[in-house]
Amino acid sequence: MSFLPFNSRTCDKVELRPKQCIDTVLKPLLDNINIKINGPLSSKEIFYAAICMAVDNISVHSSSKHYQEIPCETSLRYHLKKLSLEELIQVNESILLQGSLSSLKPEKKYEFAIDFTNDPYYGAIDSSNEDYVIRSQAKKSTNSFYSYVSLSIINKNERYTLAVLPVERNKTKVDYLTYFIDLIRKLNFNIKVLCLDREFYSVDVFKFLQNSEIPHITPVVRKGKQIKQLLDGRKARSAEYVMKNAQKKEVHLDIVIDVKYLKGKRSKYGCENLGFVAYGVNWPPRKISNVYRRRFAIESSYRMRNIVKPRTSTKDVTFRYFFTLISFLLRNAWLYLQKKHFTIVKPGPLTIDEDKFRFARFILFVEEWLRRKLRIQLVLQCLR
């Protein structure tokens, strides 16, 4: 199986093969994760097994039933237990960005988004995982979750996930913001604007961002009499608001309100007031609203990640985090190959022919290579 996209520079046809797809995923794992193994088994085979579990959306237990030449369940669990959570956190951005980084421009101003995603958990909670199991609103018959916070670029054609961290109960949102902002600076990018979810709507977060002079947009939480009055009107406008918390801390905020007519959307009519906390961006309300809407592109990364997320019921924090990194890595690899091979050569802004290389086709290429390799190994075994 192969595909013939146009080369973005020469307009010549170049063949995109399944091996190139699997190599784009495998190399960051081999270069950044060291699993010490004594014997004939190699870390490459462990990573092949993990990628198999991801693209087939199966568990460690099921993998040996799907692939005869894969390491057994006991071996996989034994060697994956050698992974260190601290080391994975330390190299997570290197794993996710190793291939994609070359397609990004240093010192360019990017639009960033930070968001949380929750994986339902149904198992026991003990001293080994109590710091990582988060209690939240009930979803899929549980209110216990392993939660992850991610930093993504939301510019069109560059929607990479730069970093993913497991959420710990004893860490604050300011801790995660500090980590991500330091990472952006380390990568030599500039922040055009940082779009945050409602979960970051707090005095401590806004004070930190203002002191750090980080341009940001956060939707207003409709809570309190004064806020409800501010979000009642028929014209786009701006207002000032003093936010306070239980510790009597306060911060001065600029509230920008965009007004849209529902026209039957969601079976509603009349005016809809969309309020945003805006800092460091001198834009009209409609532009602020439209830029923030691009943050919802991060939701597509979660949907794709769920397509290629290995199944597991383990309470092991490191196992789950490793599988999470692989699922986000697969999406980044697809975006990189799509941009590299399917950019249309023409004057004007960068345009990618997305229909030519969908995520499903990329996953099909990865599966094809893995299955072909396993079949060849079986033939060689029979010849011996």
Side-chain angles (χ1 to χ4, degrees), residues 5 44 52 54 95 102 160 261 265-266 294 296 340 347 354:
K44 183 183 288 189
C52 284
I95 293 171
S102 61
Y160 297 111
Y261 291 93
K265 186 178 180 181
R266 302 190 300 274
R294 292 203 278 271
F296 293 106
K340 181 179 180 181
E354 298 178 354

Side-chain angles (χ1 to χ4, degrees), residues 288-302:
I288 287 176
S289 177
N290 288 339
V291 168
Y292 188 79
R293 281 186 64 190
R294 292 203 278 271
R295 191 201 71 84
F296 293 106
I298 203 171
E299 302 297 335
S300 70
S301 71
Y302 297 150

Side-chain angles (χ1 to χ4, degrees), residues 44-85:
K44 183 183 288 189
E45 291 175 275
I46 300 295
F47 296 142
Y48 281 151
I51 297 169
C52 284
M53 286 184 275
V55 296
D56 284 346
N57 202 218
I58 58 177
S59 65
V60 175
H61 176 71
S62 300
S63 59
S64 58
K65 297 179 181 179
H66 284 68
Y67 298 94
Q68 295 185 25
E69 291 299 314
I70 213 166
C72 69
E73 179 181 356
T74 303
S75 294
L76 282 174
R77 292 188 183 278
Y78 173 75
H79 292 298
L80 286 175
K81 282 185 177 180
K82 297 178 183 178
L83 294 171
S84 163
L85 181 63

Side-chain angles (χ1 to χ4, degrees), residues 98-113:
Q98 180 163 309
S100 314
L101 193 60
S102 61
S103 67
L104 299 172
K105 298 178 181 178
E107 299 185 359
K108 179 179 176 179
K109 284 191 173 182
Y110 287 102
E111 297 169 4
F112 295 93

Side-chain angles (χ1 to χ4, degrees), residues 34 62 65 109 111 239 298 302 314 322 324 367-368 380:
N34 181 30
S62 300
K65 297 179 181 179
K109 284 191 173 182
E111 297 169 4
I298 203 171
Y302 297 150
T314 181
F322 175 64
T324 296
E367 288 178 330
E368 169 69 17
L380 290 175

